[in-house]
Amino acid sequence: MFEALNLSCVRDERTLFSGLSFTIEPGEMVQIEGRNGAGKTSLLRILAGLSSPEAGEVRWQGVNTRRQRDVFHQQLLYLGHQPGVKSVLTAYENLAFYQSVNGTASADAIYQALENVGLLGYEDVTVAQMSAGQQRRVALARLWLSDAPLWILDEPLTAIDKQGVSTLIELFEQHAQQGGMVLLTTHQDLQGVNRDVRKIRLTSAELA
Ligand SMILES: Nc1ncnc2c1ncn2[C@@H]1O[C@H](COP(=O)(O)OP(=O)(O)OP(=O)(O)O)[C@@H](O)[C@H]1O
């Protein structure tokens, strides 16, 4: 179980949200909604442990994530707003690096992940030479290589074409079906999702 307890976030002296609490159970898909600047990215970064809330805490299996950083990070796959891939490395090298940090290494699994994101044939191309959408796909290929139950995904569908979006949505559903948790932001409709997506809306008094 993943919990946000009374979270508050202040940026530039503006309260983006306060007293925000929710729980995510295995098997759930949750979408964070809100206008541009509402604080979605700020919230996801707090939930992933990349920044601190003004108040409140984040718990994994009942324990504050700050008291079990290593354990929590093994359970988490966070994909941020930016692709988060190394531009001097090739697509294959990026995924091999990801796998080496995460303990397993299998060339077959990397080729399969590249095929899943439509990048077979691009394995030896450096990321710097790729389009924005292709760079995003390299980052997203990690979803097929990860054993982490908790996925926190910031705008994973941005710059992805229609076919890619339906493949990803199927993957999210499959992950939840298998007891994983998917927490994401997206400005797109999650079309074709065959399971409930719980929505949490961030509304800032100052934006309303
Ligand atoms: N590190 C920071 N320092 C100062 N202000 C910040 C910082 N990070 C975010 N902000 C501000 O906080 C507000 C919320 O930003 P955030 O990126 O969380 O919103 P968002 O809901 O994800 O927006 P979008 O839908 O446009 O991606 C914005 O006004 C932004 O300028």
Side-chain angles (χ1 to χ4, degrees):
M1 189 168 73
F2 185 55
E3 292 166 275
L5 287 169
N6 276 315
L7 292 179
S8 298
C9 175
V10 177
R11 294 280 182 264
D12 279 341
E13 300 178 11
R14 192 162 63 88
T15 300
L16 296 178
F17 49 84
S18 65
L20 180 67
S21 297
F22 56 85
T23 298
I24 302 180
E25 303 281 353
E28 277 200 290
M29 268 179 84
V30 176
Q31 180 180 2
I32 307 292
E33 290 187 319
R35 294 160 59 171
N36 290 131
K40 302 179 295 299
T41 293
S42 303
L43 172 62
L44 294 196
R45 289 181 57 81
I46 289 171
L47 295 174
L50 295 169
S51 65
S52 300
E54 231 57 39
E57 64 180 87
V58 179
R59 289 186 188 165
W60 174 254
Q61 312 295 26
V63 179
N64 189 324
T65 52
R66 299 215 163 261
R67 285 199 222 112
Q68 48 162 352
R69 281 172 199 265
D70 290 349
V71 171
F72 177 58
H73 283 126
Q74 279 165 13
Q75 307 299 310
L76 167 69
L77 174 57
Y78 169 78
L79 291 183
H81 216 278
Q82 300 300 321
V85 286
K86 296 188 187 308
S87 55
V88 294
L89 300 182
T90 65
Y92 183 93
E93 287 167 344
N94 264 286
L95 297 178
F97 175 74
Y98 174 73
Q99 278 207 324
S100 67
V101 172
N102 287 274
T104 50
S106 151
D108 284 353
I110 293 176
Y111 282 111
Q112 186 59 57
L114 284 167
E115 183 171 359
N116 291 341
V117 293
L119 285 180
L120 210 52
Y122 288 83
E123 53 273 12
D124 296 327
V125 176
T126 51
V127 164
Q129 293 172 283
M130 292 182 167
S131 72
Q134 288 171 330
Q135 294 188 10
R136 191 99 196 133
R137 283 168 182 263
V138 175
L140 289 164
R142 289 183 210 159
L143 293 168
W144 276 274
L145 298 174
S146 167
D147 294 328
L150 175 62
W151 292 359
I152 297 183
L153 312 173
D154 197 353
E155 297 283 350
L157 309 178
T158 298
I160 300 299
D161 60 32
K162 213 169 164 185
Q163 178 56 44
V165 167
S166 40
T167 305
L168 283 167
I169 287 176
E170 265 175 46
L171 180 68
F172 300 160
E173 285 182 304
Q174 192 188 5
H175 185 66
Q177 184 74 35
Q178 292 168 351
M181 306 172 202
V182 182
L183 176 62
L184 80 164
T185 61
T186 173
H187 287 288
Q188 299 186 30
D189 280 343
L190 289 172
Q191 280 172 355
V193 179
N194 293 313
R195 56 188 305 121
D196 282 344
V197 180
R198 185 149 59 94
K199 298 192 174 179
I200 295 172
R201 183 153 191 89
L202 291 184
T203 47
S204 159
E206 286 140 86
L207 278 176

